[in-house]
Amino acid sequence: MTSKIDFQVFLPQAAMQLAGWDAAFPPGQRELLAKPEIIRKVVKNSYVDGYWRIRRTTPLILAAIGAFDEAGDRESVMFWSEHLSEEGGHDLVMYDDLESMFGGPDAVRNILQQRPIL
């Protein structure tokens, strides 16, 4: 028997967990995040990782749709099918942002080679 995930509950809960990522750091390290130069580095590195993740979003959603379809879970198929159209093109927007952050396409290619997905 397949357990169904209530995505209307799951996704907001997952978002809240992501929003509290810094709570895992000890206080001394957490204080470093108040320094502008440190937070800029964290943001840039996070954005690089985010780019890699968004590049994988469409294939993962398609795989989920196939798995839910095979399992006969029409509700989940519909949810992810509708969500799929919302994801298109985000990687291109993020790539443009990376070019602005790092100084052009050569710099982005270099940083993407140095920093694969975490």
Side-chain angles (χ1 to χ4, degrees):
M1 181 171 164
T2 304
S3 62
K4 291 178 95 174
I5 296 172
D6 182 350
F7 289 106
Q8 301 301 326
V9 173
F10 173 77
L11 293 177
Q13 288 175 347
M16 290 301 294
Q17 285 180 318
L18 289 173
W21 67 272
D22 60 333
F25 290 98
Q29 290 179 356
R30 198 174 318 131
E31 291 165 8
L32 290 174
L33 295 174
K35 295 183 177 188
E37 66 276 8
I38 300 293
I39 198 65
R40 272 194 293 278
K41 288 180 182 180
V42 169
V43 167
K44 281 179 145 183
N45 287 326
S46 296
Y47 212 86
V48 169
D49 193 60
Y51 170 78
W52 285 122
R53 291 176 190 284
I54 204 69
R55 290 275 314 231
R56 294 202 167 102
T57 300
T58 298
L60 288 172
I61 291 174
L62 290 170
I65 291 168
F68 285 128
D69 188 45
E70 191 173 305
D73 184 348
R74 303 303 305 154
E75 184 179 338
S76 294
V77 168
M78 292 303 298
F79 174 87
W80 287 107
S81 295
E82 290 171 10
H83 186 65
L84 184 61
S85 65
E86 296 173 18
E87 294 301 321
H90 288 175
D91 59 331
L92 300 175
V93 172
M94 289 184 82
Y95 191 89
D96 288 344
D97 291 343
L98 287 171
E99 284 187 354
S100 294
M101 284 181 189
F102 289 97
D106 291 338
V108 173
R109 279 191 293 279
N110 185 38
I111 202 72
L112 293 176
Q113 287 176 347
Q114 290 176 23
R115 297 190 187 131
I117 192 169
L118 295 177

